[in-house]
Amino acid sequence: MGYSHVYAEAKADPDGFWMKAAEAIDWVTPPTKALFDDNAPLYEWFSDGTLNACWNAVDRHVEAGHGERIAIIHDSPITHSKHELTYAELRDRVASLAGALRAKGVEKGDRVIIYMPMVPEALEAMLACSRLGAIHSVVFGGFAANELAVRIDDCQPKCIIAASCGLEPGRVVHYKPLLDGAIEMATHKPDFCVIFQREQEVARLEEGRDYDWHGFQFGVEPAECVPVEGNHPHYILYTSGTTGQPKGVIRHTGGHMVALNWSMRNLYDMNPGEVFWAASDVGWVVGHSYICYAPLTFGCTTIVFEGKPVGTPDAGTFWRVIQDHGVKCLFTAPTALRAVKREDSQGALIGDYDISCLESLFLAGERADPDTIVWAQDKLGVPVVDHWWQTETGWCIAGNPLGIEKLPVKIGSPSVPMPGYDVQILDEGGHPVPDGDLGAIAVKLPLPPGTLPTLWNAEARFRKSYLDHFPGYYETGDAGYKDEDGYLYIMARTDDVINVAGHRLSTGGMEEVLASHPDVAECAVIGVADQLKGQMPMGFLCLNAGTQKSAEDVVSECVKLVREKIGPVAAFKLATVVQRLPKTRSGKILRGTMVNIADGKDYKMPATIDDPAILDEITEALKELGYPK
Ligand code: COA
Ligand code: AMP
């Protein structure tokens, strides 16, 4: 059965299609139907079934006789270590951790924040929460204490599980002081914390609040899996919106399991027992879906990689990992390949390893530029699949479903919609535009299983951000077009979100931080094109009259402030002081025009511009920063 047939089947009979997919996972009580639309335009899937995500990801494989299969391989070129965990070992470790959390009062529905680097214990913590029906919220290690505090106040965790430190090349990231600082800042206080002490840095524990990961498990009774409803929130994952307040994307348990499990065979062409490697971080959606839940639920071996594509120790690391662990499918961000290509443009290091096990490379997280795709195809000799998705959807919206049919590749396009996604290109009025015309990309409701049902504690914001603009559709926030064969092209964001090294960041959030500097009267942050990271944030600062400090001092203080408030992951290093910002007559900052000037693109003088001369000042300031490149 080819792609068109499968896609049409899901469209004609979504209930039948997804109920069939649901048979591939274990239910305590099977659902009576797939879609629950009584509360439209809010939709849910499999609400009346009961199941447990940890059972599906771990226990069921042991029960089926695969306890000796490797579940997780940890490979850390930073600590020069590798080790493996079987499914049986993983089950025992997770059951023990869950038992210890339960003994301290963690129950179904409680929130648990996880702040950990790329160690297997991060997955164990996620799975232990799933086992109890507790709702985890993983926070990426590159975020600063303030971002962690915002998340603590929003989801109000009973417990925080953290590691003592993370390891970046050449630097230890001191997680514990960041955690302590965040708890101090937050209004909500967790009942307790669990600290996984790494040998690279042992953190001081606070008596009565902090427990040692190993010590607090001593003598506890392992926990069994707690059945939860299909619409029970499995996790909350915060992602950047247009403001500094991140959005808490919720994932419901039933649809999550069904969609991820379906995607492993049909999209990634995997079989149970094979090795799948998503070179991302558990702090991002790719890590949730494709380092943890999808490969494990499907019975694959997953790799937890603590390293970088370059510099740990060189641009051959990816190929070494593929060879050493027999990786069949690699999933990474284009920026990682650009980093490799920059250091080893001929791909000479690929020849040092036997990567004949590799059958496909999937790219996501940002637009895959044609140069990178062609380079990878040429050097690796396997299909390179660009696929498009978002934190909100949890799995692919458009891709090339290798497990169903390898469709012709059109470079620059992530190919076609996955079953369940009715993707339309709309004009401002919400009407579909002709093929080839640019518009806002929207998905006709309902979205398929596995996608977000709403935002944590913020249904009004969910409706406003995603549903209100185009009634009957989910607004993706991306703009692009569709060609005559139904292939999609994702060109840009329609909001103030930028994509830096595959990481989604809010320029609005950075502006809020800059505006808090006492000498800054007004500011704007834009994303400028960057050869390696795709985009880089750039700040324009207007200073208060009478400021005593030099422009250089304010710029360097602002750079420091963003690192302190948002974190190193914001990669905010470029800023300049200007007299005025270009605006429309109604006072809206012309960020799009500034981006065009910085990227050296032609632009039309906006008809509504208040004072065109300001653009000359911006052009001058950019020139001083070396832009356009
Ligand atoms: N904990 C703490 N700090 C972190 C971190 C983490 N988990 N991850 C990144 N950082 C820090 C980095 O150390 C760096 O700090 P610095 O300013 O002191 O150098 C900063 O955040 C920016 O990191 P990054 O954007 O990763 O840049 P880099 O220069 O370290 O590396 C690449 C560049 C391209 C190699 C790297 O960005 C990369 O591997 N990208 C792949 C992205 C990816 O997989 N995205 C997932 C989406 S699928
Ligand atoms: P995130 O939620 O962090 O996964 O970021 C999602 C956003 O990244 C999308 O809305 C797109 O803007 C961008 N993105 C992800 N994958 C792709 C892709 N394959 N092509 C183009 N843009 C992408």
Side-chain angles (χ1 to χ4, degrees):
M1 236 185 348
Y3 160 77
S4 307
H5 189 98
V6 176
Y7 183 81
E9 194 182 281
K11 192 163 182 178
D13 178 18
D15 229 75
F17 183 89
W18 291 114
M19 282 298 272
K20 188 151 168 271
E23 288 169 14
I25 65 159
D26 282 6
W27 297 87
V28 178
T29 328
T32 57
K33 60 175 184 167
L35 182 64
F36 287 73
D37 57 3
D38 6 319
N39 204 16
L42 306 187
Y43 296 89
E44 291 183 358
W45 294 88
F46 308 113
S47 310
D48 70 357
T50 59
L51 76 167
N52 181 279
C54 180
W55 171 272
N56 275 287
V58 185
D59 299 54
R60 70 165 172 158
H61 305 304
V62 182
E63 296 294 318
H66 305 304
E68 293 316 303
R69 184 183 290 170
I70 304 300
I72 300 176
I73 299 173
H74 184 228
D75 187 306
S76 170
I78 299 189
T79 60
H80 308 285
S81 65
K82 292 183 208 172
H83 88 267
E84 298 178 340
L85 274 179
T86 65
Y87 271 97
E89 286 167 334
L90 181 61
R91 187 211 32 205
D92 293 348
R93 292 169 70 99
V94 170
S96 164
L97 179 62
L101 291 171
R102 187 179 55 189
K104 289 263 169 295
V106 175
E107 291 173 4
K108 179 184 168 200
D110 288 338
R111 274 81 58 213
V112 174
I113 280 191
I114 299 173
Y115 188 52
M116 296 183 86
M118 288 297 287
V119 290
E121 285 78 4
L123 276 66
E124 291 172 22
M126 294 162 79
L127 291 162
C129 293
S130 304
R131 196 171 188 86
L132 298 174
I135 304 166
H136 62 67
S137 187
V138 182
V139 178
F140 179 61
F143 282 123
N146 183 56
E147 291 286 325
L148 183 54
V150 168
R151 287 155 175 78
I152 293 173
D153 277 334
D154 196 70
C155 76
Q156 312 219 326
K158 188 173 257 183
C159 159
I160 301 183
I161 307 180
S164 55
C165 69
L167 303 170
E168 282 291 289
R171 143 174 102 93
V172 172
V173 185
H174 312 290
Y175 275 34
K176 188 58 179 20
L178 290 171
L179 172 66
D180 291 342
I183 295 176
E184 177 89 33
M185 260 179 247
T187 311
H188 171 85
K189 310 289 175 198
D191 289 0
F192 69 102
C193 298
V194 179
I195 308 297
F196 174 66
Q197 300 277 22
R198 300 191 74 182
E199 60 185 57
Q200 290 76 15
E201 179 166 281
V202 176
R204 196 185 62 81
L205 302 189
E206 195 175 304
E207 185 79 37
R209 187 197 73 188
D210 299 340
Y211 295 91
D212 171 70
W213 170 283
H214 293 292
F216 103 124
Q217 295 185 43
F218 183 75
V220 302
E221 196 181 320
E224 290 307 317
C225 297
V226 175
V228 302
E229 301 73 28
N231 61 355
H232 180 69
H234 186 183
Y235 69 74
I236 304 165
L237 178 59
Y238 289 90
T239 189
S240 299
T242 43
T243 66
Q245 179 70 26
K247 296 169 172 168
V249 167
I250 296 180
R251 195 83 55 216
H252 279 174
T253 312
H256 186 215
M257 294 282 103
V258 171
L260 292 187
N261 192 69
W262 182 91
S263 72
M264 287 301 286
R265 188 181 306 281
N266 293 286
L267 176 58
Y268 299 101
D269 196 22
M270 294 295 293
N271 295 298
E274 294 173 337
V275 183
F276 188 87
W277 178 25
S280 178
D281 189 286
V282 284
W284 306 117
V285 69
V286 174
H288 280 64
S289 297
Y290 291 104
I291 296 175
C292 188
Y293 290 110
L296 294 179
T297 299
F298 195 61
C300 285
T301 298
T302 186
I303 297 185
V304 173
F305 173 70
E306 187 177 40
K308 300 268 172 179
V310 294
T312 58
D314 58 29
T317 303
F318 272 21
W319 325 129
R320 197 265 306 153
V321 171
I322 290 168
Q323 167 193 275
D324 287 359
H325 307 301
V327 174
K328 178 177 172 187
C329 177
L330 168 65
F331 179 160
T332 190
T335 188
L337 284 191
R338 287 196 296 270
V340 169
K341 182 173 146 223
R342 193 163 75 164
E343 301 231 329
D344 181 21
S345 61
Q346 298 307 311
L349 293 169
I350 300 172
D352 292 351
Y353 302 95
D354 175 4
I355 58 162
S356 53
C357 52
L358 187 73
E359 291 186 17
S360 61
L361 168 66
F362 280 75
L363 299 175
E366 57 173 328
R367 184 177 153 73
D369 53 293
D371 277 0
T372 302
I373 297 188
V374 170
W375 182 86
Q377 275 175 347
D378 183 39
K379 300 291 181 255
L380 301 175
V382 297
V384 176
V385 179
D386 175 18
H387 64 325
W388 168 57
W389 51 298
Q390 315 180 303
T391 305
E392 288 85 346
T393 65
W395 66 288
C396 175
I397 309 170
N400 197 330
L402 295 191
I404 298 175
E405 175 186 2
K406 183 176 179 304
L407 298 170
V409 173
K410 296 196 189 189
I411 290 181
S413 163
S415 304
V416 294
M418 289 299 98
Y421 288 100
D422 182 354
V423 182
Q424 303 285 338
I425 314 293
L426 306 179
D427 64 17
E428 244 323 287
H431 308 293
V433 301
D435 290 343
D437 282 10
L438 201 66
I441 314 182
V443 185
K444 212 160 196 296
L445 293 170
L447 293 172
T451 54
L452 86 171
T454 184
L455 295 175
W456 182 255
N457 272 344
E459 190 187 305
R461 188 176 183 197
F462 173 69
R463 288 174 184 268
K464 186 162 173 281
S465 305
Y466 303 105
L467 307 182
D468 288 356
H469 194 165
F470 301 120
Y473 292 89
Y474 162 81
E475 183 183 4
T476 64
D478 284 314
Y481 62 95
K482 211 190 298 192
D483 74 7
E484 64 287 0
D485 299 320
Y487 278 57
L488 288 162
Y489 294 77
I490 318 302
M491 307 308 289
R493 290 285 305 187
T494 55
D495 54 15
D496 297 328
V497 166
I498 58 170
N499 201 310
V500 180
H503 307 138
R504 176 166 157 185
L505 298 167
S506 161
T507 53
M510 291 186 222
E511 287 174 3
E512 284 173 26
V513 173
L514 297 175
S516 74
H517 188 285
D519 295 308
V520 173
E522 208 185 5
C523 63
V525 175
I526 59 169
V528 296
D530 182 80
Q531 274 215 327
L532 175 65
K533 298 194 177 188
Q535 282 182 304
M536 282 288 268
M538 181 186 278
F540 294 83
L541 313 167
C542 301
L543 305 190
N544 287 318
T547 299
Q548 300 297 316
K549 281 193 197 128
S550 70
E552 290 73 38
D553 284 351
V554 178
V555 164
S556 73
E557 284 173 20
C558 283
V559 166
K560 217 169 125 229
L561 197 62
V562 174
R563 195 178 170 93
E564 244 169 56
K565 294 273 183 207
I566 299 180
V569 68
F572 183 81
K573 291 179 177 159
L574 296 167
T576 182
V577 168
V578 291
Q579 292 304 315
R580 296 172 299 170
L581 294 170
K583 292 186 185 166
T584 61
R585 281 189 286 276
S586 60
K588 195 169 175 292
I589 299 172
L590 291 161
R591 293 184 182 77
T593 311
M594 292 160 80
V595 172
N596 284 331
I597 300 175
D599 291 349
K601 287 197 186 135
D602 291 340
Y603 65 92
K604 265 208 279 215
M605 179 66 70
T608 54
I609 192 164
D610 185 34
D611 179 0
I614 302 179
L615 291 183
D616 298 333
E617 293 171 26
I618 296 291
T619 307
E620 273 312 301
L622 280 164
K623 235 186 235 160
E624 275 177 34
L625 284 175
Y627 285 81
K629 287 271 181 215

